[in-house]
């Protein structure tokens, strides 16, 4: 095998991992979950989940990945000490790769919509009315074309490999994302109604602290940190042994939850500004509109009513959403592509082409059966499979893998770690606490 590519710097890894983590889950999912789950009460529980559960699971992936220097399937088989656990590793690996691909097949559809609204803000600036109308109509033709274009962008980056593809584009796009996000927040804060939104977002309503809130917060944390399917595992596998994994993990978790929190400072106030401008922001049941209607109706109504500047705000907003989607989707595609490159004779380019086309086919099937398949695939992958896979990865790190190897890998790049809190707590934590917590929540979500 040719020598394996690596991220060229720590900064490159952090941008790539943050790029994977920061996506629609942060900018859309987190703020709306917060708004419909009692404001800051959800924020508090979410941060607890992110650090007490998602961070340890993230560490399991990074440690297994860097040690094995391979994709999820080869990695799990490699650390399995006997035949039975090798079979289990194969099963979990295949399951993870399939789920990663399915996540991409619905994520690509949604990301395609973002591209459409991005294009629409340009066509409406130019006064091209019929193009604008086509771009915001919900037709199969529009949906397939936009999803296809988004898939091509994703494939283009992945075909160029780690440092020349994933790292290069993440380090370009993520700083842009941060600047646009900050600019939009500053602008929205000057608008009437923003204060009311801020209050809804930041004042906790602890009467809403019910069990389902914990389930939602955990699901959100797993999705947001891209856990379970081997994304972070494979990113970890491109890390040099010189880096300290626990520190990098903390940084990625902080940047991810920090960005989710900051995105809430944009989205929730924007909803209340839209209300001031006359948009209807509540469903018939009296809840805040949170689904696609929020992004594709409430906010566009807001942009339109802002006059000339609204078009520029819309442009910035949908560029933000498109960047967030793209740096996440590449991390999903890397999961099956890394497996194909390492376990078959395909080159990276061939593997990207074949797998990208297959996922494009999946997305097309979902689009043609939108009513039955779209929500089904989202639930199957994110609500059930991701926590289950996360659980299995903790079991591999805590129970199946030889403890000495595990400790040695943690020590690499961080020689003075013995004696730290992480060293003392994490190995048992990932062995007992994480699986138990995930299991409890899974049972909850199946029961509910
Ligand atoms: N974390 C991303 C978001 O918040 C989505 C994502 C990227 C993801 N890679 C993943 C989700 C792997 C699950 C699995 O939008």
């Amino acid at each position: 095998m040719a020598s394996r590519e690596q991220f060229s710097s720590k900064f490159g890894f952090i941008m790539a991992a943050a790029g994977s983590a920061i996506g629609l889950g942060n900018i859309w999912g987190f703020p709306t979950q917060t708004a419909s789950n009692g404001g800051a009460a959800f924020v508090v529980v979410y941060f607890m989940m992110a650090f007490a559960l998602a961070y340890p699971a993230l560490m399991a992936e990074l440690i297994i990945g860097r040690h094995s220097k391979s994709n999820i399937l080869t990695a799990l088989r490699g650390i399995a000490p006997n035949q039975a656990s090798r079979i289990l590793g194969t099963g979990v690996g295949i399951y993870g790769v399939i789920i990663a691909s399915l996540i991409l097949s619905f994520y690509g559809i949604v990301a395609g919509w973002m591209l459409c609204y991005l294009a629409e803000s340009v066509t409406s600036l130019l006064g091209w009315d019929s193009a604008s109308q086509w771009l915001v109509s919900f037709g199969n033709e529009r949906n397939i074309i936009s999803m296809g274009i988004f898939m091509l962008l994703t494939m283009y980056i992945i075909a160029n490999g780690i440092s020349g593809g994933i790292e290069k584009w993440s380090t370009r796009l993520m700083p842009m994302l941060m600047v646009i996000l900050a600019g939009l927040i500053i602008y929205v804060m000057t608008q009437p109604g923003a204060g009311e939104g801020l209050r809804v977002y930041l004042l906790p309503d602890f009467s809403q602290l019910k069990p389902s809130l914990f389930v939602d917060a955990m699901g959100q944390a797993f999705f947001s940190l891209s856990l379970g399917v081997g994304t972070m595992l494979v990113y970890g596998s491109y890390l040099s042994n010189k880096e300290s994994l626990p520190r990098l993990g903390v940084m990625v978790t902080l940047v991810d939850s920090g960005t989710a929190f900051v995105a809430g400072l944009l989205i929730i106030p924007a909803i209340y500004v839209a209300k001031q401008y006359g948009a209807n922001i509540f469903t018939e049941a009296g809840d805040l509109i949170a689904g696609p209607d929020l992004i594709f109706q409430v906010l566009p109504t807001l942009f339109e009513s802002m006059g000339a500047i609204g078009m520029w705000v819309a442009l910035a907003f949908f560029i933000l959403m498109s960047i967030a989607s793209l740096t996440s989707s590449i991390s999903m595609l890397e999961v099956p592509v890394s497996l194909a490159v390492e376990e078959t004779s395909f080159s990276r380019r061939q593997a990207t082409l074949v797998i990208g086309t297959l996922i494009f086919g999946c997305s097309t099937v979902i689009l043609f059966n939108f009513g039955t398949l779209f929500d089904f695939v989202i639930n199957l992958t994110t609500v059930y499979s991701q926590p289950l896979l996360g659980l299995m990865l903790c079991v591999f790190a805590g129970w199946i893998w030889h403890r000495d190897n595990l400790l040695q890998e943690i020590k690499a790049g961080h020689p003075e770690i013995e004696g730290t809190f992480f060293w003392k707590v994490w190995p048992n934590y990932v062995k007992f606490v994480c699986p138990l917590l995930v299991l409890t929540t899974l049972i909850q979500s199946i029961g509910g």
Side-chain angles (χ1 to χ4, degrees), residues 20-26 100 103 107 222-227 229 231 256 324 328-329 331-332 382 386:
S20 167
I22 298 168
L24 300 176
N26 300 61
I103 291 177
Y107 206 84
F222 263 80
F223 184 78
S224 190
L225 271 172
S226 314
L227 294 178
V229 300
T231 296
D256 181 54
S328 294
S329 65
S331 75
M332 300 170 197
T382 64
Q386 265 194 293

Side-chain angles (χ1 to χ4, degrees), residues 215 383-385 388 438-448:
V215 179
V383 180
Y384 301 108
S385 300
L388 188 63
V438 176
L439 211 61
T440 316
T441 316
L442 259 180
I443 293 169
Q444 279 268 5
S445 64
I446 292 168

